[in-house]
Amino acid sequence: MISTYALPLRRALNTSLDYLERHDDAPVSPTVTRAELWERLARPLTDAGVDPETVIAQLATDVDGGLVRSGGGRFFAWVIGGAVPAALAADWLTSVWDQNAGLYACSPAASVVEEVAGLWLKELLGLPASAGFALVTGCQMAHFTCLAAARNHLLAARGWDVERKGLMGAPAIRLLTNDQYHGTLPRAIRHLGLGTDCIVPVASDEVGRLTASALDDALRTASDVPTIVHLQAGDLNTGIFEEFGTLIPIAHEYGAWVHVDGAFGQWAAASPKYRHLLTGVERADSWATDGHKWLNVPYDCGYAFVAHPEAQRAAMSHRASYLTHADEARDQMEWTPEFSRRARAFATYAAIRQLGRTGITELVERCCGHARDLATHIGALPGAELLWEPIINQGLVRFPAEGAGATSADHDRRTDAVIAAVTAAGDAFFSGTSWRGMRCMRISVSNWLTSGADVDRAVEAVRRCLERTADHPA
Ligand SMILES: Cc1ncc(COP(=O)(O)O)c(C=O)c1O
């Protein structure tokens, strides 16, 4: 039996090491077309199956060139982290051990590791030790978990048991927010049956933060309506943080629930240099963040924290006579939206153990430094313009079209064309976004592997593309 595993696992190990060792020289971008991938991967579905080592060997060959090297140091698109070695190895073991981390009875070790990881995360992120938590697939499900708790709490305060009665006939909940929220917020709202019409945009200042007076006005209007206030710790384009110290007490004055999206920005708490951006955030009611972004835990790994554990538990809890429940220990399904689930705490535990407090601080500060260098150096190139110098790890540049008569549509086209050209060249990978009505190239750094040399190479790649395409304005 062991040898049945040995061959495919050894093959997977060798393939993994080959793959990881090529991060420095291989193109970051895919090099094959969808049609080529189809041709390779759409093999006949066999009756007899294929021996496992061949399956792994062919899978590795067939996907070659079709993977994005987002785990390497030259990937700056969206917000995608890599995987520190201990987390990656623990993630493998998670598959080997194949625990169902829904109940303590299914895996005492997975349950205890999750409790320990939860405590460490709260300490690192500057959140109350008493908060409930859940390890979920990503920030999307962290929003869902947190807002399910909010829904429970706000409606219970109005005598409505939403877990039993549902939403039909319940007092309508509204959600106040600035208009820069990430798309996972309305998705969570949809999953929860609240409907996106419940989102009420509130005026923000010139950098997109809710203003205290606008929030106060919005809360005073219909002050009896159950209300969630959504605040951002790290806007997806600019990394801007809201004024938590001012806004949270105002929201609480009106009995609102404050939910914070800190998908990556919450990790600023791990750095003495950046922690001030989060002042007062610990007074919120729930927080959503990720492990697969800045902590460099492999996908998929997000974290939900709830200041009112009883509301989280009421929203998630499940008991059944055929299950073995543990009153003294953590039955994860009491806190998470999933029932059966991957023991994803092992990888988080391993990442935190490998990096330690100082390693996480350095990771955060190093990424911020690289993001600043990338944005300012690219922004200073002929044919480029710096739009947003990073305050943490997110920056924006654009590439205006040449010529006195160039319109904003020309600038947008040119910017998208340069991003596409850089990506196609394969030395660095960036993504685009729209900000203040302009197309921009987004610069985002959250990978532990990114080095000064990667930054220089990426700047040089953009310079070459700008030069090459200068005669052909998009
Ligand atoms: C600010 C913000 N919130 C939420 C998310 C969603 O995170 P996930 O993809 O882990 O669900 C992202 C993803 O980039 C984000 O940047």
Side-chain angles (χ1 to χ4, degrees):
M1 197 270 288
I2 290 301
S3 62
T4 316
Y5 282 113
L7 291 175
L9 284 178
R10 285 205 185 102
R11 175 69 73 159
L13 173 63
N14 292 336
T15 303
S16 303
L17 294 176
D18 286 348
Y19 179 78
L20 294 170
E21 276 156 16
R22 291 207 53 218
H23 270 336
D24 272 347
D25 58 65
V28 197
S29 318
T31 50
V32 295
T33 62
R34 180 169 181 268
E36 284 169 306
L37 288 169
W38 260 96
E39 200 175 312
R40 292 187 206 161
L41 287 157
R43 293 173 178 274
L45 174 59
T46 64
D47 287 333
V50 177
D51 86 274
E53 192 191 8
T54 306
V55 172
I56 297 307
Q58 290 182 340
L59 177 64
T61 324
D62 291 354
V63 301
D64 192 37
L67 302 172
V68 174
R69 282 189 178 267
S70 47
R74 289 175 288 127
F75 183 86
F76 308 110
W78 304 294
V79 187
I80 293 186
V84 292
L88 178 54
D91 197 58
W92 285 4
L93 287 176
T94 306
S95 294
V96 172
W97 294 332
D98 196 18
Q99 305 288 280
N100 183 341
L103 290 173
Y104 177 84
C106 292
S107 179
S111 166
V112 172
V113 164
E114 187 162 312
E115 281 186 288
V116 175
L119 277 177
W120 287 347
L121 286 167
K122 286 184 270 185
E123 185 188 326
L124 290 163
L125 297 170
L127 302 179
S130 56
F133 71 94
L135 274 71
V136 288
T137 52
C139 199
Q140 170 73 83
M141 289 311 288
H143 285 324
F144 173 83
T145 307
C146 292
L147 296 179
R151 186 180 70 167
N152 175 283
H153 179 90
L154 291 169
L155 294 181
R158 286 154 181 85
W160 188 270
D161 180 350
V162 69
E163 312 309 330
R164 200 163 53 81
K165 294 168 135 175
L167 285 171
M168 291 263 264
I173 292 177
R174 66 176 171 166
L175 184 141
L176 306 180
T177 178
N178 69 30
D179 61 0
Q180 301 293 312
Y181 51 82
H182 191 269
T184 47
L185 182 80
R187 288 187 89 219
I189 291 291
R190 281 159 50 199
H191 296 339
L192 286 161
L194 297 172
T196 50
D197 279 357
C198 85
I199 299 176
V200 181
V202 176
S204 47
D205 64 16
E206 66 291 348
V207 288
R209 296 172 303 190
L210 278 188
T211 63
S213 57
L215 179 63
D216 194 78
D217 285 351
L219 285 161
R220 196 164 329 111
T221 312
S223 60
D224 52 336
V225 171
T227 303
I228 299 166
V229 174
H230 164 256
L231 299 179
Q232 281 185 294
D235 172 86
L236 85 114
N237 286 317
T238 60
I240 278 285
F241 291 72
E242 312 242 29
E243 304 266 348
F244 303 109
T246 311
L247 299 175
I248 295 175
I250 296 175
H252 283 170
E253 230 176 87
Y254 293 90
W257 175 289
V258 179
H259 173 64
V260 177
D261 181 350
F264 54 90
Q266 190 68 40
W267 287 93
S271 155
K273 195 167 160 190
Y274 294 103
R275 170 173 308 152
H276 66 95
L277 295 165
L278 288 157
T279 301
V281 80
E282 69 285 352
R283 294 172 69 184
D285 300 282
S286 57
W287 306 263
T289 186
D290 268 321
H292 55 218
K293 291 188 169 61
W294 227 344
L295 187 58
N296 281 255
V297 172
Y299 282 93
D300 41 22
C301 186
Y303 312 123
F305 301 94
V306 180
H308 312 276
E310 66 294 346
Q312 180 185 355
R313 192 162 188 171
M316 297 296 148
S317 178
H318 173 73
R319 299 238 153 185
S321 64
Y322 79 99
L323 297 173
T324 308
H325 293 287
D327 288 328
E328 295 300 309
R330 178 178 173 90
D331 274 344
Q332 295 94 321
M333 73 168 64
E334 290 285 288
W335 306 97
T336 59
E338 308 105 337
F339 191 81
S340 296
R341 61 195 277 277
R342 181 171 177 78
R344 59 177 66 88
F346 290 130
T348 292
Y349 178 93
I352 298 174
R353 286 265 293 146
Q354 180 192 323
L355 294 166
R357 275 200 203 88
T358 309
I360 296 173
T361 305
E362 283 170 5
L363 169 61
V364 167
E365 294 183 359
R366 198 167 63 243
C367 289
C368 294
H370 289 325
R372 204 168 35 253
D373 287 348
L374 272 171
T376 52
H377 296 173
I378 293 174
L381 293 171
E385 184 186 350
L386 174 64
L387 291 177
W388 186 266
E389 182 168 344
I391 51 168
I392 50 166
N393 62 340
Q394 309 292 312
L396 297 170
V397 294
R398 72 167 180 163
F399 308 103
E402 287 164 21
T407 63
S408 54
D410 295 329
H411 300 322
D412 287 351
R413 264 194 299 278
R414 167 88 177 142
T415 298
D416 281 333
V418 173
I419 298 169
V422 173
T423 305
D427 283 310
F429 196 123
F430 295 94
S431 54
T433 188
S434 294
W435 181 73
R436 295 186 180 168
M438 292 175 283
R439 290 298 291 161
C440 313
M441 184 169 94
R442 213 173 144 205
I443 291 167
S444 172
V445 187
S446 45
N447 194 305
W448 75 288
L449 282 174
T450 298
S451 64
D454 291 325
V455 169
D456 293 346
R457 198 164 151 190
V459 176
E460 179 55 21
V462 177
R463 192 190 61 72
R464 272 199 313 272
C465 276
L466 284 170
E467 260 179 25
R468 214 176 40 241
T469 57
D471 296 337
H472 317 284

